[in-house]
Amino acid sequence: MSKIDEITGLIREMEANTPGIEASAVVSVQGLPIASAMPSEVDESVVAAMTAAILSVGERASQELVRGNLQQITMQGDQGYIIIKGAGISAIITVLAKNDANLGLIFMVLKKISARIGELLSEE
Amino acid sequence: MSKIDEITGLIREMEANTPGIEASAVVSVQGLPIASAMPSEVDESVVAAMTAAILSVGERASQELVRGNLQQITMQGDQGYIIIKGAGISAIITVLAKNDANLGLIFMVLKKISARIGELLSEE
């Protein structure tokens, strides 16, 4: 099984076990898709590009406003959440969730899965 | 008392009554300061510019990723949080909080104060 297959398996499993998650993707810090589990109406390349754009502005803001290194961004729209978290040094995981999702649970799951994806991508 | 004095009073009161908040500011959607309660080491104009930059990218992402109109952004750095919320149609409130702040409480307080500031700024 390739690393990409393994990562896709991890995010599919996360979606299946975490109520409220609608879509998720792992993208490179350059804004290119690595792996995703998305419904057909969501464009993987748009998610990847938007994720990298937000992270770039967010990292600048976190430094300028003395909040240290950026760990996670949560955006709440009136139709749901976008949650973005670093996964190792070269990748980011993005989750789209429903408005009634349990954020505490999603944050906990993301912490675990982002560490695992970071490890997988840093292995030889 | 001018509107700006009233808004400054509201955010100072919020800071005094909400543990974990280190600084807060109300800025225009164009990125200019309206009112602030900041420690001297934080530059009000940098906060205003960063807030507008994040909001602009966040609004685009929320639309593109079918999350509807953006309501709030929470960024977590390893040294604390930046929380950004719209206050009416022309202003934004930004809060800098410590890492151990009670986010649930801050979100509740922000909901109330942002509505009040939106009303104040929309009055003749």
Side-chain angles (χ1 to χ4, degrees):
Chain A
M1 190 160 72
S2 77
K3 275 185 196 183
I4 302 303
D5 290 342
E6 204 167 335
I7 293 171
T8 308
L10 282 171
I11 61 179
R12 285 211 175 120
E13 194 188 320
M14 171 183 75
E15 287 195 23
N17 294 329
T18 319
I21 295 185
E22 291 182 310
S24 52
V26 177
V27 313
S28 74
V29 290
Q30 290 84 19
L32 297 172
I34 294 175
S36 67
M38 294 270 160
S40 56
E41 70 270 23
V42 181
D43 183 334
E44 190 190 49
S45 62
V46 173
V47 173
M50 282 292 134
T51 297
I54 295 161
L55 201 77
S56 159
V57 180
E59 273 176 348
R60 171 91 195 279
S62 191
Q63 295 292 338
E64 294 270 8
L65 303 181
V66 210
R67 302 298 103 184
N69 293 317
L70 189 62
Q71 304 293 311
Q72 189 170 298
I73 302 179
T74 307
M75 296 194 292
Q76 185 182 8
D78 51 18
Q79 290 166 45
Y81 294 96
I82 305 168
I83 306 154
I84 294 174
K85 188 171 176 63
I89 53 164
S90 54
I92 311 157
I93 179 162
T94 300
V95 164
L96 305 186
K98 291 182 191 164
N99 243 337
D100 60 355
N102 180 333
L103 276 191
L105 176 64
I106 293 178
F107 291 168
M108 228 171 59
V109 170
L110 268 182
K111 193 170 173 180
K112 207 169 151 187
I113 199 175
S114 63
R116 181 69 194 117
I117 291 168
E119 279 167 20
L120 271 173
L121 291 174
S122 69
E123 284 166 8
E124 282 303 295
Chain B
M1 190 160 73
S2 77
K3 273 183 196 183
I4 302 303
D5 291 342
E6 204 168 334
I7 292 172
T8 308
L10 282 171
I11 61 178
R12 284 209 177 122
E13 195 189 320
M14 171 182 76
E15 287 195 20
N17 294 329
T18 319
I21 295 185
E22 291 182 309
S24 53
V26 177
V27 313
S28 74
V29 290
Q30 290 84 20
L32 297 172
I34 294 175
S36 67
M38 295 269 161
S40 57
E41 70 270 23
V42 182
D43 183 335
E44 191 190 47
S45 62
V46 173
V47 173
M50 282 293 133
T51 298
I54 295 161
L55 201 77
S56 158
V57 179
E59 273 175 347
R60 171 92 196 277
S62 191
Q63 295 292 339
E64 294 270 9
L65 304 180
V66 211
R67 302 297 104 184
N69 293 318
L70 189 62
Q71 305 292 310
Q72 188 171 299
I73 302 179
T74 306
M75 295 194 293
Q76 184 181 10
D78 50 19
Q79 290 164 45
Y81 294 96
I82 305 167
I83 305 154
I84 294 174
K85 188 171 178 59
I89 53 165
S90 54
I92 311 158
I93 178 162
T94 301
V95 164
L96 305 186
K98 291 182 190 163
N99 242 337
D100 60 355
N102 181 332
L103 277 191
L105 177 63
I106 294 178
F107 290 169
M108 228 170 60
V109 170
L110 269 181
K111 192 171 174 179
K112 209 168 150 187
I113 198 176
S114 63
R116 181 70 193 116
I117 292 169
E119 278 167 19
L120 272 173
L121 291 173
S122 69
E123 281 166 10
E124 280 305 293

